[in-house]
């Protein structure tokens, strides 16, 4: 078996996660604080570089390499994993994949080292994640662009130094499209509104953004041209796979915590795990965890055109996280419900995986869309026959 240098990075992540990140997880959750020490140590290990090309400062890793890292970290601290997956899939990937050479040279090195923190501003309160209905606008001027609008519930608000902002675009010639703009957090006219306390994944800062007559140069347009809805959708779909890996990690983490408790706690002269009813419940969840793990590990590369597969993986994994966490509470009773139990934290954290990265209702809509097309449905039936 050939050992790659990147395997050493992943091994170090696993050791650090199982020791230091695990020890800090409760503190991060209680204080609702950004997991600064975890983030910068993981950045020093090279985690942020894993899925990107070496010529751009990355480590030439593949999709499975980075999804495994997200899963390993999520097993111990979902907040730390959320910060990582936001930085990688929303902060770095858009510039790495779509940026001009000038934009890559200007931003990638600092983003890959963690010196700069990046975020993606898409969601708006009235339109949720529907890009076609967003109101934020960028109007071309003689000197560049003027950005106006609002974004809501944006991960890493207040911590990010650089935002990729999706907007309706109006050219000088009147042509309209959609585009993404690279906006420094300290640009004049940018207002960051940090949110109040969240139920779960409390170490991930989330807030609102306001843009009022923000003046940007022509070079602020990602890739130097409008990318349309397809580019925005591809960025969001890539993020779904990271959230799926996080959800799988949460399920594995809470399952292990539950098993450990049930192997120790004794009632009616038996350990909880010795009761056949409990064994059956654990076996069912165990089979679902490893079915989902197999599904996630089958993703050898990211296909932005396979919207249904991206939605399927995210839906399956996020439902698994919530179901496993709820099973843990049912089997551990008062112990799992108490605030000093990591099980209680996993329960709260699991719910967000069904919400961010596109809610479960949106994923189900993506999965069912072809069934509503009579022509496609007829052709699919012919193929199956």
């Amino acid at each position: 078996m050939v050992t790659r240098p990147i395997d050493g990075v992943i091994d170090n992540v696993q050791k650090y996660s199982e020791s230091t990140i695990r020890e800090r997880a409760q503190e991060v959750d209680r204080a609702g604080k950004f997991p600064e020490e975890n983030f910068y140590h993981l950045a020093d290990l090279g985690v942020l570089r894993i899925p990107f090309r070496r010529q751009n400062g990355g480590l030439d890793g593949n999709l499975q390499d980075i999804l495994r890292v997200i899963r390993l970290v999520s097993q111990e601290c979902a907040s730390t994993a959320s910060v990582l997956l936001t930085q990688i899939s929303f902060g770095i990937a858009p510039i790495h994949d779509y940026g001009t050479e000038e934009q890559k040279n200007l931003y990638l090195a600092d983003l890959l080292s963690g010196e700069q923190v990046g975020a993606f501003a898409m969601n708006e309160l009235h339109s949720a994640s529907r890009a076609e209905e967003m109101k934020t606008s960028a109007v071309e001027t003689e000197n560049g662009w003027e950005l106006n609008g609002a974004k809501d519930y944006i991960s890493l608000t207040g911590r990010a130094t650089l935002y990729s902002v999706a907007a309706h675009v109006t050219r000088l010639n009147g042509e309209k499209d959609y585009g993404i703009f690279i906006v420094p957090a300290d640009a004049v006219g940018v207002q960051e509104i940090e949110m109040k306390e969240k139920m779960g994944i409390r170490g991930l800062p989330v807030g609102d953004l306001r843009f009022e007559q923000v003046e940007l140069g022509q070079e602020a347009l990602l890739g130097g041209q409008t990318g349309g809805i397809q580019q925005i959708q591809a960025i969001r779909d890539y993020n779904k796979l990271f959230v799926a890996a996080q959800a799988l990690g949460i399920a594995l983490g809470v399952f292990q915590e539950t098993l450990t408790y049930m192997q120790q706690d004794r009632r009616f002269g038996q350990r909880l795990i010795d009761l056949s009813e409990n064994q059956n419940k654990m076996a069912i969840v165990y089979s679902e965890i490893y079915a989902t793990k197999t599904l996630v590990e089958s993703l050898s590369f990211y296909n932005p055109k396979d919207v249904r597969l991206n939605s399927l993986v995210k839906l399956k994994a996020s439902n698994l996280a919530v179901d496993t966490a709820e099973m843990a509470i049912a089997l551990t009773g008062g112990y799992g419900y108490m605030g000093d139990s990591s099980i209680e934290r996993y329960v709260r954290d699991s719910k967000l995986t069904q919400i961010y990265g596109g809610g479960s209702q949106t994923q189900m809509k993506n999965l069912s869309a072809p069934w509503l097309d009579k022509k496609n449905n007829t052709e699919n039936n012919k193929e199956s026959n």
Side-chain angles (χ1 to χ4, degrees):
M1 183 177 179
V2 178
T3 301
R4 306 168 302 157
I6 204 168
D7 293 329
V9 174
I10 296 173
D11 287 343
N12 287 334
V13 170
Q14 182 168 6
K15 293 174 184 175
Y16 183 69
S17 297
E18 292 176 349
S19 56
T20 307
I21 291 180
R22 178 183 294 176
E23 292 174 359
R24 291 173 176 164
Q26 290 292 84
E27 177 189 354
V28 168
D29 177 70
R30 288 195 192 100
K33 69 174 185 177
F34 182 83
E36 188 165 354
E37 298 89 345
N38 294 346
F39 175 71
Y40 287 112
H41 185 81
L42 291 167
D44 289 341
L45 290 178
V47 167
L48 302 179
R49 304 178 187 275
I50 287 177
F52 302 109
R53 292 187 293 270
R54 193 172 295 277
Q55 67 194 60
N56 292 323
L59 295 180
D60 275 340
N62 57 42
L63 180 62
Q64 278 306 314
D65 291 328
I66 192 58
L67 293 186
R68 184 183 175 199
V69 165
I70 297 300
R71 171 172 60 81
L72 289 171
V73 176
S74 299
Q75 285 180 228
E76 312 303 339
C77 178
S79 288
T80 300
S82 286
V83 171
L84 283 180
L85 70 87
T86 301
Q87 171 81 349
I88 294 170
S89 66
F90 276 165
I92 304 173
I95 296 175
H96 177 274
D97 294 347
Y98 301 110
T100 63
E101 287 305 312
E102 181 183 0
Q103 289 167 343
K104 292 176 184 178
N105 292 335
L106 186 60
Y107 298 117
L108 278 184
D110 287 345
L111 286 167
L112 290 166
S113 69
E115 187 172 337
Q116 286 228 58
V117 177
F120 183 56
M122 167 64 219
N123 190 71
E124 297 183 6
L125 193 60
H126 67 281
S127 63
S129 58
R130 296 183 295 277
E132 297 88 348
E133 298 179 25
M134 64 183 175
K135 302 297 184 183
T136 299
S137 65
V139 178
E140 190 174 16
T141 67
E142 294 292 342
N143 299 317
W145 302 92
E146 182 180 297
L147 182 69
N148 288 279
K151 300 293 182 179
D152 304 282
Y153 302 111
I154 305 303
S155 296
L156 292 180
T157 292
R159 193 74 195 199
T161 56
L162 202 65
Y163 293 101
S164 293
V165 183
H168 270 294
V169 174
T170 302
R171 292 280 191 177
L172 279 173
N173 62 9
E175 291 182 359
K176 297 182 182 295
D177 199 353
Y178 300 88
I180 298 171
F181 293 83
I182 303 174
V183 182
D186 60 359
V188 176
V190 176
Q191 181 185 9
E192 299 171 300
I193 306 170
E194 293 190 46
M195 298 292 290
K196 295 181 179 180
E197 182 179 307
K198 301 191 306 299
M199 182 177 80
I201 308 189
R202 296 174 60 185
L204 173 71
V206 174
D208 300 338
L209 297 170
R210 300 293 179 263
F211 307 101
E212 185 173 352
Q213 297 180 326
V214 180
E215 295 182 4
L216 304 169
Q218 283 288 352
E219 72 281 356
L221 179 60
L222 182 65
Q225 59 186 353
T226 52
I229 293 293
Q230 293 77 16
Q231 188 181 83
I232 296 171
Q233 186 61 47
I235 292 169
R236 295 174 60 238
D237 273 358
Y238 184 54
N239 171 262
K240 288 178 187 176
L241 304 183
F242 285 72
V243 178
Q246 177 185 44
L248 175 60
I250 290 172
L252 285 163
V254 72
F255 182 89
Q256 186 57 54
E257 286 291 327
T258 304
L259 180 60
T260 299
Y261 175 76
M262 293 175 68
Q263 288 173 331
Q264 297 171 348
D265 191 62
R266 302 183 67 85
R267 297 179 192 177
F268 311 111
Q270 298 183 82
R271 299 180 304 167
L272 287 178
I273 196 61
D274 292 328
L275 301 174
S276 60
E277 181 181 354
N278 291 344
Q279 294 170 12
N280 293 340
K281 291 178 180 178
M282 293 288 281
I284 291 171
V285 171
Y286 181 85
S287 67
E288 288 297 316
I289 288 175
Y290 277 87
T292 305
K293 185 171 181 286
T294 300
L295 174 63
V296 172
E297 291 178 346
S298 71
L299 302 169
S300 57
F301 64 95
Y302 168 59
N303 181 0
K305 295 182 180 180
D306 201 341
V307 176
R308 294 188 80 197
L309 178 60
N310 300 331
S311 292
L312 185 154
V313 174
K314 203 267 185 181
L315 180 66
K316 175 67 175 175
S318 60
N319 285 345
L320 169 74
V322 171
D323 291 346
T324 306
E326 289 181 350
M327 179 275 304
I329 285 287
L331 291 180
T332 60
Y335 169 78
Y337 189 76
M338 302 307 290
D340 60 352
S341 161
S342 58
I343 290 176
E344 182 264 354
R345 169 170 52 85
Y346 282 117
V347 172
R348 289 185 285 103
D349 289 348
S350 68
K351 193 61 186 176
L352 188 56
T353 66
Q354 290 184 324
I355 299 171
Y356 79 155
S360 293
Q361 291 297 324
T362 299
Q363 309 317 317
M364 287 187 278
K365 184 177 180 180
N366 290 340
L367 284 168
S368 63
W371 304 336
L372 306 179
D373 187 324
K374 186 175 181 180
K375 180 180 178 181
N376 287 342
N377 195 40
T378 301
E379 290 176 353
N380 288 337
N381 288 337
K382 287 179 180 179
E383 290 176 5
S384 64
N385 293 331

